[in-house]
């Protein structure tokens, strides 16, 4: 059975520069209604020695990983088994490092690519030379708390959009870069929902659950939000099949049209965010720019529109409205892709 499950994908403990232990971090994540976290301490996997015990004690899934923290950028490696060194790689050698992660079955993500760098944060700003963007699995397009209003995140979001427009299928996620206790945070927190198969969490099945999360990151079955969960699907008028987030629509007829359905689940983690009753705007964005706008609310939480699919490469939904005293993007989905067959 597939479910949408909330994750935090960028976390730290006192094994690097965080304030808390893995157990304290996991307990805080449970209090926030999260299903799982990725453990991504800087250049170490040592907190994962406690992983099995902490998972058993808290019921929280912990995905193995690390934040490759270098002079030329920070790269998240998620789903790896063993520690990976970066010190033999120069600014032109990032693809060799990516290959090491992929060889272990993991995925790589560019962390906070436009965060202010040295001397405030050595290597935070991404400077590695990427010769083939197909090697990049995801970009952390939202980072830190209340991420939508930060200029560095807006630049990262535009980078992601530019890559999608060029035909690259790269996932977009959020990462809190969680270092401090939640009790010190007053700003909104974004989470990454992954659509994945789930099972009863007996110990032998945890690795299967980890693989499912890594596959979701690789495949882009992802929706990101600071509030309610945003959903989007496409159905071609010439077929009965419904395509979801991260899937590929096979377009045979150039003149084909599609029904796009968007829906907002206001019940998802509802106790962990506040959103005033209002008419929310859902923008349908694509390689052609904005192609539609729909209005949703708690009373009317779903809407459908028709559109022509000729020339479409990708399509995503973005939820906008008044949130935390700002007019901002509240949530976005990853793309549904289109493959034009003529």
């Amino acid at each position: 059975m597939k479910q949408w499950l909330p994750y935090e994908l960028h976390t730290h403990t006192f094994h690097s520069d965080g304030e808390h232990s893995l157990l304290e971090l996991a307990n805080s994540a449970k209090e926030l209604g999260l299903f799982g976290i990725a453990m991504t301490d800087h250049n170490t996997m040592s907190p994962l020695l406690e992983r099995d015990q902490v998972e058993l004690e808290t019921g929280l899934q912990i995905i193995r990983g690390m934040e490759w923290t270098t002079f030329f950028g920070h790269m998240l490696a998620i789903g790896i088994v063993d520690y990976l060194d970066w010190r033999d790689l120069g600014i032109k050698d990032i693809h060799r490092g990516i290959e090491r992660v992929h060889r272990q079955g993991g995925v790589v993500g560019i962390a906070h690519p436009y965060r202010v760098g040295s001397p405030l944060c050595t290597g935070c700003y991404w400077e590695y030379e990427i010769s083939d963007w197909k090697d990049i699995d995801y970009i952390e397009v939202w980072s830190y708390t209340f991420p939508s209003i930060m200029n560095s995140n807006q630049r990262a979001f535009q980078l992601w959009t530019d890559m999608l427009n060029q035909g690259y299928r790269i996932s977009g996620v959020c990462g809190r870069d969680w270092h401090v206790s939640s009790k010190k945070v007053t700003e909104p927190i974004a989470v990454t929902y992954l659509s994945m198969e789930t099972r009863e969490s007996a110990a032998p099945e945890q690795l299967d659950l980890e693989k499912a999360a890594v596959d979701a990151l690789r495949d882009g079955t992802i929706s990101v939000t600071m509030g309610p969960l945003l959903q989007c699907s496409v159905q071609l008028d010439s077929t009965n099949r419904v395509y979801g987030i991260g899937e590929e629509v096979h377009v045979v007829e150039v003149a084909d049209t599609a029904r796009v359905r968007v829906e907002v689940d206001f019940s998802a983690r509802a106790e962990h965010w506040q959103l005033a009753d209002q008419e929310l705007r859902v923008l349908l964005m694509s390689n052609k720019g904005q192609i539609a706008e729909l209005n949703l609310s708690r009373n009317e939480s779903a809407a459908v529109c028709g559109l022509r699919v000729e020339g479409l490469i990708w399509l995503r939904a973005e939820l906008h409205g008044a949130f935390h005293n700002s007019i901002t993007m509240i949530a976005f989905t990853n793309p549904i892709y289109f493959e034009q067959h003529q």
Side-chain angles (χ1 to χ4, degrees):
M1 175 182 173
K2 279 207 166 186
Q3 297 184 61
W4 286 95
L5 301 172
Y7 282 81
E8 172 52 58
L9 299 174
H10 190 161
T11 66
H12 297 282
T13 70
F14 54 52
H15 285 252
S16 61
D17 61 347
E19 290 186 355
H20 33 216
S21 67
L22 182 59
L23 177 59
E24 290 168 336
L25 174 66
N27 280 324
S28 293
K30 288 292 288 187
E31 290 172 1
L32 291 174
L34 298 179
F35 182 84
I37 61 171
M39 185 64 258
T40 57
D41 261 326
H42 297 286
N43 293 336
T44 183
M45 297 179 71
S46 56
L48 290 163
L49 294 171
E50 304 175 89
R51 175 191 184 216
D52 291 347
Q53 180 59 39
V54 172
E55 284 186 331
L56 185 64
E57 188 170 336
T58 64
L60 185 87
Q61 185 199 3
I62 301 171
I63 304 170
R64 294 170 291 186
M66 61 181 287
E67 183 175 7
W68 215 358
T69 308
T70 83
F71 300 113
F72 309 120
H74 294 189
M75 186 174 78
L76 297 163
I78 292 182
I80 59 175
V81 178
D82 299 315
Y83 172 82
L84 293 169
D85 204 349
W86 58 271
R87 289 171 294 178
D88 61 331
L89 303 179
I91 196 169
K92 298 179 183 293
D93 303 322
I94 191 60
H95 290 279
R96 287 171 49 203
I98 293 171
E99 182 184 6
R100 295 171 186 174
V101 177
H102 287 166
R103 198 180 303 138
Q104 290 195 22
V107 290
V108 299
I110 299 176
H112 44 63
Y114 296 110
R115 179 87 58 85
V116 175
S118 184
L120 296 179
C121 181
T122 300
C124 277
Y125 190 94
W126 185 266
E127 296 182 276
Y128 278 109
E129 295 182 15
I130 299 175
S131 59
D132 188 354
W133 280 87
K134 289 181 181 177
D135 283 353
I136 304 299
D137 297 301
Y138 69 90
I139 300 173
E140 193 177 75
V141 297
W142 275 6
S143 178
Y144 207 57
T145 57
F146 207 174
S148 65
I149 66 171
M150 296 178 64
N151 289 335
S152 59
N153 289 332
Q154 291 165 13
R155 291 184 66 190
F157 200 90
Q158 186 59 53
L159 169 66
W160 178 44
T161 301
D162 291 343
M163 292 299 107
L164 295 175
N165 286 340
Q166 294 177 43
Y168 296 104
R169 297 187 177 184
I170 301 173
S171 301
V173 309
C174 69
R176 176 176 167 182
D177 203 355
W178 192 352
H179 288 80
V180 302
S181 167
S182 292
K183 294 181 174 62
K184 299 180 180 180
V185 176
T186 58
E187 293 183 320
I189 295 169
V191 298
T192 300
Y193 278 86
L194 304 179
S195 176
M196 47 189 279
E197 296 284 348
T198 59
R199 301 179 183 180
E200 293 297 323
S201 56
E205 297 173 346
Q206 289 292 350
L207 289 179
D208 290 339
L209 202 56
E210 179 177 76
K211 182 180 183 302
V214 171
D215 287 345
L217 286 170
R218 184 183 295 112
D219 297 338
T221 54
I222 298 167
S223 188
V224 175
T225 184
M226 296 185 293
L229 174 61
L230 180 62
Q231 302 279 275
C232 182
S233 63
V234 167
Q235 181 177 6
L236 292 182
D237 288 345
S238 59
T239 70
N240 292 322
R241 179 173 173 184
V242 176
Y243 298 86
I245 296 167
E247 294 186 321
E248 179 182 271
V249 180
H250 296 273
V251 180
V252 178
E253 299 293 334
V254 173
D256 212 343
T257 56
R259 285 163 42 89
V260 180
R261 175 183 170 85
V262 293
E263 184 173 2
V264 178
D265 181 359
F266 289 95
S267 67
R269 296 182 62 253
E271 64 273 27
H272 299 290
W273 47 267
Q274 293 182 342
L275 181 65
D277 287 340
Q278 60 186 289
E279 189 171 78
L280 298 164
R281 299 163 58 229
V282 176
L283 306 183
L284 295 182
M285 306 298 296
S286 75
N287 55 293
K288 295 183 174 183
Q290 181 180 328
I291 55 177
E293 179 176 332
L294 302 169
N295 294 320
L296 295 177
S297 66
R298 279 186 168 85
N299 294 328
E300 298 287 341
S301 60
V304 176
C305 73
L307 55 84
R308 292 177 59 86
V309 298
E310 182 179 1
L312 281 183
I313 299 174
W314 60 271
L315 169 76
R316 71 169 176 244
E318 299 176 1
L319 182 68
H320 293 253
F323 187 77
H324 204 73
N325 299 318
S326 297
I327 303 297
T328 188
M329 187 191 304
I330 300 168
F332 63 89
T333 71
N334 270 240
I336 298 171
Y337 297 99
F338 294 80
E339 184 67 29
Q340 307 277 342
H341 298 277
Q342 298 182 15

